[in-house]
Amino acid sequence: MKKINLPKELVSFFDTNLKELEENYPGINKIVLLRFLDDLGVDQYLGATEEIHTKLLKGIPLEYITKKKFFYDFEFSLNEDVLIPRFETEILVHEAINLIKEKSINSVLDLGVGSGAIFINILKYLKENSLKMNHLHASDISQKALDVCEKNLTKLTWNKALGQTELIKSDLYKNINNKYDLILSNPPYIKENADRAGVHRQTDAYEPHIALYLADREYDAWFDDFFKNTFNNLNENGYFIYEGHEDHLESQAKQLDSFGFKSIELIKDLTGRYRFIKAMKNKEV
Ligand SMILES: C[S@@+](CC[C@H](N)C(=O)[O-])C[C@H]1O[C@@H](n2cnc3c(N)ncnc32)[C@H](O)[C@@H]1O
């Protein structure tokens, strides 16, 4: 972080409105403000001080004000059309990179790519290790999300050199006509009603609902469709890793088993909660 001082306008705003700010931004303090200012730019803050204070009082996520977020190993451009990448998803990226290191992986799909948080970090790893693949595909149901991902992708001027890099607009697998060695996903996994109470109101108010929620009555059928088609779109010995809701992962492990997945493994996040599943198309030999 560059050495910057908090402008007196921001300090006085922070001191006066601390209680309201804390309700919307859990853990906010002057260090967080410094980081925010570093991302935003002091000049931009001083040029639009009142406007930015209004946004902060409304509780708009800091990342939607600065329009950026550093995730894993890359600074992403963001807007309200995509989920703000979450720290815990770095575990999924880490697991995927371990598989790429250890197994014979020549094609990857990231389904529900959003800003590109997972996908672009995989591309970066491949580039830094001089690896190429046959297919590097990412999909999303939302064209607006794909536009944000495309913007991030264009920062990687070398991405085409890694193999076939392609963004595909698709509802689940409807427009996907390939098979892959590795399928990754952080899909929407919150039940719109049953799980809503556990969602922070800032997330509910500002992040895209298509990235977060599934209707309660469609939840199991949606995952049936997702899992069945993931199985069919995996190559022999292919791997699937996805992020899910801690309350539903154990029953989803059974769902995966019923569709033929093997070596099903639940993975914890850093707080010790099960948040990810890794599974294979065939039994590991
Ligand atoms: C939880 S966000 C994940 C975004 C990004 N991969 C990340 O980890 O930050 C889920 C993404 O799935 C997309 N999505 C929702 N329903 C989908 C569907 N039926 N088919 C494909 N993508 C879908 C959303 O638009 C959103 O970008």
Side-chain angles (χ1 to χ4, degrees):
M1 196 157 72
K2 292 186 286 291
K3 196 166 186 296
I4 48 176
N5 292 317
L6 286 170
K8 62 179 183 330
E9 293 87 337
L10 191 54
V11 176
S12 123
F13 170 77
F14 178 76
D15 290 340
T16 314
N17 299 289
L18 185 58
K19 204 162 162 291
E20 283 105 310
L21 290 172
E22 277 174 340
E23 278 171 21
N24 283 310
Y25 305 100
I28 194 158
N29 55 34
K30 286 185 181 160
I31 305 282
V32 175
L33 277 188
L34 261 179
R35 214 172 287 136
F36 167 67
L37 200 66
D38 190 30
D39 282 344
L40 185 67
V42 180
D43 290 349
Q44 196 172 329
Y45 171 74
L46 293 173
T49 308
E50 283 312 311
E51 195 188 316
I52 289 162
H53 288 178
T54 306
K55 286 183 178 171
L56 290 170
L57 285 177
K58 280 188 183 161
I60 296 178
L62 300 179
E63 295 85 348
Y64 288 152
I65 304 178
T66 62
K67 303 208 175 300
K68 55 173 89 154
K69 162 99 178 180
F70 193 86
F71 171 82
Y72 198 84
D73 194 21
F74 189 81
E75 187 173 85
F76 287 86
S77 296
L78 293 183
N79 64 26
E80 294 79 353
D81 296 323
V82 289
L83 186 96
I84 300 165
R86 298 299 202 273
F87 179 56
E88 60 269 22
T89 306
E90 295 194 341
I91 294 175
L92 195 159
V93 177
H94 180 71
E95 289 285 334
I97 286 176
N98 280 345
L99 283 180
I100 292 169
K101 271 187 203 160
E102 290 165 12
K103 309 289 175 184
S104 168
I105 307 281
N106 281 303
S107 48
V108 175
L109 169 70
D110 175 4
L111 188 148
V113 68
S115 62
I118 300 167
F119 188 59
I120 286 181
N121 276 301
I122 300 291
L123 297 190
K124 209 159 172 269
Y125 174 81
L126 295 175
K127 165 73 175 166
E128 282 162 12
N129 291 278
S130 309
L131 298 170
K132 285 190 182 184
M133 290 207 181
N134 298 330
H135 300 298
L136 287 161
H137 292 175
S139 68
D140 208 289
I141 195 171
S142 154
Q143 183 58 49
K144 288 180 173 170
L146 289 172
D147 293 344
V148 175
C149 183
E150 177 78 49
K151 184 174 174 191
N152 284 310
L153 212 47
T154 53
K155 294 187 203 165
L156 309 178
T157 47
W158 39 261
N159 80 71
K160 298 273 186 280
L162 294 171
Q164 289 187 350
T165 313
E166 201 182 315
L167 298 184
I168 304 164
K169 183 171 186 304
S170 180
D171 177 0
L172 287 173
Y173 288 91
K174 289 202 175 91
N175 301 327
I176 292 175
N177 304 312
N178 282 281
K179 290 196 172 199
Y180 303 90
D181 294 332
L182 175 61
I183 296 181
L184 306 168
S185 188
N186 176 14
Y189 56 70
I190 303 168
K191 284 189 184 174
E192 201 170 29
N193 293 315
D195 301 330
R196 192 71 162 252
V199 178
H200 192 277
R201 67 190 159 88
Q202 191 189 41
T203 299
D204 187 55
Y206 293 107
E207 299 199 57
H209 283 196
I210 197 167
L212 300 169
Y213 298 118
L214 294 169
D216 296 32
R217 66 180 183 288
E218 288 163 14
Y219 197 86
D220 290 342
W222 194 93
F223 274 97
D224 272 350
D225 188 4
F226 180 36
F227 293 157
K228 186 175 80 190
N229 285 297
T230 298
F231 192 84
N232 293 337
N233 284 274
L234 276 175
N235 286 324
E236 295 305 309
N237 299 315
Y239 288 85
F240 173 41
I241 314 178
Y242 79 100
E243 179 171 331
H245 193 289
E246 60 175 317
D247 293 346
H248 310 309
L249 278 191
E250 284 183 41
S251 67
Q252 288 179 352
K254 292 187 189 124
Q255 243 174 312
L256 286 165
D257 181 64
S258 75
F259 285 114
F261 281 95
K262 302 282 185 295
S263 306
I264 299 163
E265 186 189 337
L266 279 89
I267 299 170
K268 290 179 178 167
D269 66 14
L270 297 178
T271 67
R273 291 179 292 186
Y274 286 118
R275 296 298 314 286
F276 309 90
I277 289 190
K278 180 162 79 175
M280 285 194 73
K281 178 146 178 159
N282 308 88
K283 210 174 168 70
E284 195 146 29
V285 280

